[in-house]
Amino acid sequence: SAVGRGPEVPFRSEAYRVSAIARGKELRLTLSALDSAADPPPQDLVFRFGMSGSFRLCPAAELPRHAHLRFLTRESPPRALCFVDPRRFGSWRLGDAWQPERGPCVVSEYQAFRENVLKNLDDRAFDKPICEVLLNQKYFNGIGNYLRAEILYRLKIPPFEKARTVLEALKDQEQERRKKDPSLTLSKKVKLMQENPDLLELCHTVPMEVITAQKQLLFPEHSDNYAAFKNWLQCYLVPGMSSLRDRSGRTIWFQVGAWGWQRPRKTPRKKSPQLKADPEAPPPKVTSRALKQRRRAAANPLKPEEEKKEEEADRPRKGRARGRRKVTAAPALPEPEVPLNIRRSRRTSARRGKGETGSP
């Protein structure tokens, strides 16, 4: 479209096929010409959906608003597969490369996803609350705002619990499970996961519930489908649940209760304890120099005039005079006495210099 912010797609073909593969929160489309000999090579596009991006198939004559990219069919009347993004947070880029900072997908790469989390628990990212870490796509690629609320609610995990505290317990449980029965088959592992799922397992199974029921949950154009999606939600946007904004500005939904997160109360600060003097402790030692200074001060008390001068010196001075020191004139030194004969010779020479003649 004319207002689309994405790059132009350099692919021209009269007949081509569109295929897709997803990885976490990214989707890769591949445009392949039906006549590979005459038409251009396949073209890959990687999409990010933001908060409001989606694909919609509709009649070409009834394009929805904010349809920024359109793929037209050859049927009559034609239809259009549109990338719709009202808020324009989504984007697409040319090429088949996934974003390098995104970790393994929670759905299609579950084992790699689980290992990536448990082996990196020393990362500073896990110092944050678990509700914030679940949105970190480096470790939880595919988990969004409503999924994190549903996962934490089902496991009764307080959303602002430290992430490392929650996940280290899973690491210990997994090690104990391997020690007890190292020969667990895949079917037994799946059965245990279904009976007692942990946080990482729910990060896989809860999105799978949405994908399995996508016809009802992911296409809310009709009121019946949207009602089915609302019935599936147990925490997110559910009346009676509480919500707060985390430090990244996203709203987290949770339940406040016996197991849920309690709002912290402001507790008054405790005053620092004052150290009391020990009556049995020995008195502090006084040096001989300090004793001499005390004796001098007792023997030579200040006179009233000197006390007054000291008080004036200690007072803060106003205006520009602040910080200046009072300069006192130095006392004049007495002139040295000159012998009489030297004084007479000076007078005689002074007269001669003026042209006067002295008496014989």
Side-chain angles (χ1 to χ4, degrees):
S1 67
V3 296
R5 297 180 180 178
E8 289 287 337
V9 181
F11 182 82
R12 298 291 181 270
S13 178
E14 291 296 327
Y16 60 93
R17 179 183 292 107
V18 181
S19 59
I21 183 173
R23 184 178 184 266
K25 284 194 172 185
E26 292 183 297
L27 180 74
R28 183 168 65 203
L29 294 188
T30 302
L31 312 181
S32 306
L34 297 182
D35 187 0
S36 58
D39 288 334
Q43 174 67 59
D44 293 304
L45 305 173
V46 177
F47 286 82
R48 293 175 60 188
F49 294 92
M51 295 179 66
S52 60
S54 64
F55 276 97
R56 192 176 304 175
L57 185 63
C58 59
E62 302 175 5
L63 291 177
R65 296 182 61 187
H66 310 289
H68 299 305
L69 194 62
R70 307 147 189 175
F71 304 92
L72 301 177
T73 64
R74 299 184 65 186
E75 58 190 344
S76 181
R79 290 184 295 171
L81 177 66
C82 305
F83 175 66
V84 183
D85 186 15
R87 298 188 182 182
R88 300 187 188 181
F89 290 162
S91 62
W92 69 86
R93 63 183 183 276
L94 305 178
D96 61 349
W98 306 109
Q99 279 188 312
E101 65 271 16
R102 289 183 180 267
C105 177
V106 296
V107 173
S108 60
E109 302 168 314
Y110 171 68
Q111 289 299 330
F113 149 71
R114 188 179 183 91
E115 293 174 3
N116 184 45
V117 172
L118 295 180
K119 74 179 182 181
N120 290 298
L121 290 181
D122 294 334
D123 193 341
R124 293 171 57 186
F126 294 96
D127 293 336
K128 298 180 180 180
I130 185 62
C131 66
E132 295 181 14
V133 176
L134 284 176
L135 297 183
N136 188 341
Q137 301 302 297
K138 182 179 178 181
Y139 296 106
F140 295 87
N141 185 13
I143 301 300
N145 200 17
Y146 81 93
L147 286 174
R148 68 168 176 174
E150 296 299 315
I151 292 168
L152 295 176
Y153 173 80
R154 294 189 187 189
L155 290 176
K156 301 180 180 180
I157 296 177
F160 293 93
E161 185 75 22
K162 190 175 180 180
R164 187 177 290 108
T165 305
V166 176
L167 295 170
E168 279 182 345
L170 305 186
K171 191 174 183 180
D172 297 337
Q173 291 175 6
E174 188 167 341
Q175 292 176 353
E176 291 179 1
R177 188 184 301 175
R178 289 179 180 177
K179 289 179 181 179
K180 290 180 179 179
D181 193 356
S183 61
L184 281 176
T185 61
L186 181 60
S187 59
K188 290 182 179 180
K189 289 181 180 180
V190 173
K191 185 177 180 181
L192 288 174
M193 183 177 67
Q194 292 175 350
E195 292 175 353
N196 299 304
D198 58 29
L199 176 67
L200 299 181
E201 290 165 349
L202 279 189
C203 288
H204 172 72
T205 57
V206 173
M208 285 298 298
E209 291 180 12
V210 182
I211 294 172
T212 304
Q214 59 182 339
K215 290 183 179 180
Q216 293 182 348
L217 301 183
L218 296 183
F219 296 96
E221 289 89 353
H222 303 288
S223 58
D224 295 340
N225 293 342
Y226 184 65
F229 177 70
K230 289 185 66 177
N231 292 333
W232 176 83
L233 293 172
Q234 301 180 27
C235 179
Y236 184 76
L237 296 177
V238 173
M241 297 295 170
S242 300
S243 64
L244 279 177
R245 290 208 172 182
D246 57 21
R247 288 181 295 182
S248 60
R250 304 292 299 275
T251 302
I252 173 65
W253 290 80
F254 59 96
Q255 183 182 32
V256 176
W259 55 265
W261 177 74
Q262 299 287 348
R263 296 178 184 269
R265 296 180 180 179
K266 293 184 178 180
T267 56
R269 293 184 178 179
K270 295 181 180 180
K271 296 182 179 180
S272 57
Q274 297 180 354
L275 297 177
K276 296 181 180 181
D278 189 359
E280 298 181 358
K285 295 182 179 180
V286 182
T287 60
S288 57
R289 185 175 180 181
L291 287 173
K292 289 180 181 179
Q293 290 178 354
R294 291 180 184 178
R295 289 171 185 170
R296 287 176 187 172
N300 301 320
L302 293 175
K303 296 179 181 180
E305 295 180 357
E306 294 178 354
E307 292 179 358
K308 187 175 182 182
K309 289 180 181 179
E310 283 196 356
E311 290 178 1
E312 291 178 355
D314 292 338
R315 291 176 185 170
R317 299 176 182 178
K318 299 180 180 179
R320 296 181 180 178
R322 183 177 296 175
R324 296 181 183 175
R325 296 182 179 178
K326 188 176 181 181
V327 180
T328 56
L333 298 175
E335 295 183 1
E337 293 185 3
V338 183
L340 182 60
N341 56 353
I342 295 177
R343 279 186 282 176
R344 285 178 180 176
S345 63
R346 286 180 180 176
R347 290 175 188 171
T348 304
S349 60
R351 288 174 185 171
R352 288 176 183 175
K354 291 180 180 180
E356 298 179 358
T357 305
S359 56

